[in-house]
Amino acid sequence: MKELFTNVSRRDLINTVGRFGMVSTMLAATGMVGAITAPRLAAAAEDANNKRYTNEPKYKLRFGGAGYNAERLKYVHVGCLDFIRDLEERTNGAIRVEFIGENQICNELDCVKKTQQGIIDIFTSSTQNAAGGAPYYNALDFAYMFPSRASFYHFLYHPKSEVLFREPLRRLHKVQFLFTMYEARGLMMGLKYKDRPTITTLEELQGGKNRVTGSQPGRIAMDLMGLNPVPVAWEETLDGLKQGLIDGAETWMSAVAAFNMTPVVSQAVDLRFFCGAEHAAMNSDVFDKLEPEYQDAVMESAYFTQARIQGTHEAALVNLVGATNPPMPGTTFDQYGVRVATLSDEEIAKAERLCAPEFVPEPWEEWRERINEWSGGHDVYSEIHAIAREIDKKTLAQNVNPQRWWKA
């Protein structure tokens, strides 16, 4: 969190956290405007702490934040702190949430399992990493199912997101999906591409070794495009790129900035070939035990957070990460010389024809049948694919109309 607290010494920060707690300090810091100094931070943390501890909570929930902290949440707007702030205020302190990030209680791969086991109540991870303990998350990962970031948010708000996605997660895996950011995955190329021309074609990527996440559909897509997927844990990706063990890494741009990968990434190829969603979800048994008024509060806070994510993450991509061609001056990509390789519509269409289920159905049949069976008989890919195309491809993500999906 050193960038967020540039003007605060480590000693002062530890002192503030010791007095008022990590969550109150994080909530205070992320709500401040202007330079954060030690006296200002302490005063804001004290104020946040007093508000949070006015009443004795009826429920204390533990939120496993994987590797996130206040600084990283500036880049990847998952919405964790927005949700906590809103839920605690909305319930007048009856629900208090303790956020435990920086892999202290769970990491990207096991947060979902610890939530299912009841060790924590809420977690954050990518949906792909959560798929290891809850395979139905793979329903989001068919290649080129979402033509834009807006189309994904449109699906999340759609009433059919309940039957096609949220209900199966609850029924099969005890997971209540709350909110998420979305940023389609591309290839982040290592330093061997630093002196090469900016990538403009899929052919320039083929043949190299590229990190792939735990998503089985993601691997299928990369195989079909000739991108030679190599399974590498997120925690090992930085070293893999640094040492040249892999040519590139399949992930999204804000994650590169948030987790200090920019020094070893030279080109961010905007391939947009499948879902990149860092989300938050809750143990559904814990949710079901809440009184109706508190269940409503959780859902309203999730809705508020989801709507806020749309705008804040889009702004961060442009103004903080630098995910534009060229990156805006002063952004992280600008500072480290990361070039955004924007492929033409024709090149994206070429990649889509190589790997999307509607063009090459056979490699996807097993996963489609499995997910359809788990869903209760829906043609999940086809139905989500159709919903994602209900809005114009040029619609901006921040312009998608929020809807309370559970009330439709």
Side-chain angles (χ1 to χ4, degrees):
M1 292 188 283
K2 67 177 183 178
E3 288 186 31
L4 187 63
F5 301 116
T6 301
N7 299 315
V8 180
S9 71
R10 180 175 177 81
R11 181 178 180 179
D12 286 336
L13 178 59
I14 291 173
N15 183 50
T16 300
V17 171
R19 291 171 62 194
F20 306 115
M22 179 58 76
V23 176
S24 294
T25 303
M26 290 173 69
L27 290 172
T30 55
M32 293 174 70
V33 177
I36 299 177
T37 62
R40 287 190 69 215
L41 178 63
E46 181 178 19
D47 183 57
N49 200 60
N50 289 340
K51 289 178 180 177
R52 296 182 70 227
Y53 285 82
T54 299
N55 299 319
E56 183 64 26
K58 188 170 185 178
Y59 298 100
K60 297 179 182 180
L61 304 181
R62 304 179 87 193
F63 192 147
Y68 285 92
N69 55 34
E71 176 66 24
R72 288 168 179 162
L73 289 171
K74 285 170 52 184
Y75 294 92
V76 184
H77 278 264
V78 185
C80 309
L81 301 180
D82 296 311
F83 176 75
I84 292 170
R85 183 184 289 110
D86 188 78
L87 182 60
E88 291 184 347
E89 291 179 357
R90 191 180 295 273
T91 61
N92 198 27
I95 297 178
R96 187 185 299 159
V97 185
E98 186 69 18
F99 183 81
I100 309 169
E102 301 195 85
N103 298 316
Q104 292 181 69
I105 196 167
C106 66
N107 59 45
E108 280 277 333
L109 293 174
D110 67 13
C111 277
V112 66
K113 296 175 184 177
K114 290 189 176 181
T115 302
Q116 291 166 325
Q117 294 164 357
I119 298 171
I120 53 179
D121 305 296
I122 309 170
F123 76 97
T124 279
S125 78
S126 73
T127 56
Q128 287 73 31
N129 283 323
Y136 194 79
Y137 276 109
N138 284 290
L140 295 177
D141 290 351
F142 292 106
Y144 289 104
M145 187 159 65
F146 299 103
S148 67
R149 294 197 291 270
S151 67
F152 181 86
Y153 290 123
H154 175 72
F155 167 70
L156 276 187
Y157 291 124
H158 199 283
K160 287 193 72 174
S161 70
E162 266 290 320
V163 67
L164 293 174
F165 183 60
R166 300 171 191 273
E167 186 279 331
L169 281 177
R170 292 194 297 269
R171 172 169 44 86
L172 297 167
H173 305 307
K174 298 203 307 182
V175 170
Q176 174 88 359
F177 193 98
L178 296 175
F179 50 85
T180 186
M181 48 69 69
Y182 181 81
E183 194 179 329
R185 291 174 178 266
L187 286 184
M188 309 298 125
M189 311 310 294
L191 295 180
K192 69 167 61 176
Y193 289 82
K194 186 176 182 65
D195 297 323
R196 297 185 186 182
T198 303
I199 291 167
T200 59
T201 66
L202 181 62
E203 284 78 7
E204 294 170 82
L205 298 169
Q206 292 172 330
K209 292 194 299 184
N210 296 290
R211 175 259 184 185
V212 65
T213 187
S215 168
Q216 295 301 319
R219 296 184 192 189
I220 293 172
M222 291 180 72
D223 274 329
L224 291 171
M225 287 189 288
L227 300 180
N228 193 13
V230 179
V232 178
W234 176 247
E235 293 80 5
E236 300 170 2
T237 301
L238 179 62
D239 282 340
L241 285 171
K242 185 184 297 183
Q243 297 172 23
L245 301 176
I246 50 177
D247 297 294
E250 161 267 289
T251 184
W252 59 81
M253 296 188 204
S254 63
V256 169
F259 288 89
N260 302 316
M261 290 173 63
T262 38
V264 296
V265 170
S266 60
Q267 297 191 42
V269 184
D270 194 17
L271 194 54
R272 307 193 300 272
F273 68 107
F274 80 105
C275 175
E278 193 76 14
H279 83 301
M282 184 176 186
N283 181 304
S284 61
D285 289 344
V286 172
F287 178 84
D288 290 341
K289 290 175 183 176
L290 299 175
E291 291 89 341
E293 64 180 295
Y294 296 131
Q295 289 183 351
D296 288 343
V298 169
M299 297 307 295
E300 287 294 332
S301 291
Y303 170 76
F304 163 81
T305 304
Q306 185 62 72
R308 178 169 165 75
I309 286 171
Q310 280 174 249
T312 54
H313 191 69
E314 291 297 304
L317 281 173
V318 174
N319 300 320
L320 189 61
V321 177
T324 56
N325 186 7
M328 287 182 61
T331 59
T332 303
F333 278 11
D334 174 62
Q335 292 171 3
Y336 286 93
V338 178
R339 284 172 286 159
V340 176
T342 306
L343 304 186
S344 67
D345 290 345
E346 292 76 18
E347 204 63 26
I348 293 293
K350 182 192 299 182
E352 188 173 0
R353 288 192 296 271
L354 283 175
C355 68
E358 63 178 310
F359 297 108
V360 282
E362 192 277 330
W364 301 96
E365 287 178 359
E366 182 180 345
W367 268 104
R368 289 187 67 176
E369 289 174 4
R370 186 177 302 171
I371 288 172
N372 290 349
E373 182 179 349
W374 289 338
S375 76
H378 288 270
D379 186 348
V380 175
Y381 166 73
S382 294
E383 293 184 49
I384 296 179
H385 185 276
I387 292 169
R389 283 153 182 78
E390 289 179 352
I391 61 172
D392 190 281
K393 188 176 180 179
K394 295 182 180 179
T395 301
L396 297 176
Q398 61 265 33
N399 290 338
V400 174
N401 186 37
Q403 299 181 69
R404 290 173 171 80
W405 56 89
W406 70 98
K407 290 187 174 182

